[in-house]
Amino acid sequence: HAVAPATPRARPAEEVRAAAAALGLEADAHAGVAEAIACARRAAADGAAVVVAGSLYLVGEARSLLAQGSAGR
């Protein structure tokens, strides 16, 4: 799942998705962090962990959403 955090320096999600595809990796581009987390949670097996990796901006935004309960299934 590819997503750009809310910062002007972020690489667009579609660009990250295209780079992953060029390496033979499957990825979906998402409009926002909450959408990406929700999609990853739906795709994960029951009881599986969803890992957020990337910049501190991305991880910080994800952490805030998860703490608020705003990144649902």
Side-chain angles (χ1 to χ4, degrees):
H1 302 279
V3 64
T7 179
R9 294 182 53 197
R11 188 168 305 271
E14 181 54 35
E15 193 175 318
V16 174
R17 188 216 56 78
L23 295 171
L25 302 171
E26 189 175 324
D28 298 316
H30 297 282
V33 175
E35 177 187 315
I37 292 172
C39 187
R41 283 179 153 179
R42 286 190 302 271
D46 286 337
V50 171
V51 176
V52 177
S55 70
L56 291 177
Y57 294 102
L58 175 65
V59 174
E61 190 174 339
R63 184 176 185 271
S64 177
L65 289 167
L66 291 167
Q68 297 170 9
S70 301
R73 285 191 178 261

